[in-house]
Amino acid sequence: VDQDGNDEIVLAMTVGKNEYYGYLVLKSADGTVWGYEVYYRAMLSLKADGTFSFSSGALDNGFGYKIPEDDRFHSVGLAESVSSYGNIEYYLNGKKVSESVYRDAIKGQMQKPDAIWYDLTNESLSSILKVIAE
């Protein structure tokens, strides 16, 4: 999810009966495993390439990735729709674009293959950890 070329483990969290609580992203760096909590709407539709959609409202959304920054995970928006006082502006890689260019970028994002999700069992965890260690 941070586009550094190394895989992360993403756990979907359920708290109480809330299956849409969010995610825990586990990242290994310098011999330490770091965990970053990401709330549900801040990381939707995770794709195999680590990018994902996000939404903070009906008109404020987009897709991008996250990078670790100290003890936080900072969002990098590749495509964003931002509203302010009834106006909507669209951005692609930080540059203002038309709504149609933004919508085309969203369509391209939706066509990417989804990340593969596994049930958290001893067998699947062993298999995943083997892949990461290679």
Side-chain angles (χ1 to χ4, degrees), residues 29-121:
D30 301 323
T32 302
V33 175
W34 297 90
Y36 299 93
E37 187 174 359
V38 181
Y39 292 103
Y40 178 73
R41 289 174 53 132
M43 191 166 81
L44 303 163
S45 303
L46 181 62
K47 300 298 183 178
D49 69 356
T51 59
F52 52 84
S53 299
F54 54 81
S55 175
S56 60
L59 303 176
D60 297 290
N61 54 63
F63 68 86
Y65 61 94
K66 294 212 176 259
I67 55 173
E69 206 172 79
D70 298 323
D71 63 345
R72 303 181 82 195
F73 234 16
H74 173 71
S75 294
V76 176
L78 297 175
E80 294 182 88
S81 167
V82 180
S83 67
S84 177
Y85 301 105
N87 294 323
I88 305 171
E89 294 182 336
Y90 302 95
Y91 297 90
L92 191 58
N93 298 315
K95 296 183 180 179
K96 195 171 178 180
V97 296
S98 67
E99 181 179 4
S100 64
V101 169
Y102 173 77
R103 297 281 173 220
D104 287 344
I106 293 294
K107 285 179 192 172
Q109 176 71 9
M110 291 172 33
Q111 292 173 350
K112 291 180 182 179
D114 291 330
I116 299 170
W117 292 93
Y118 300 93
D119 288 330
L120 187 59
T121 64

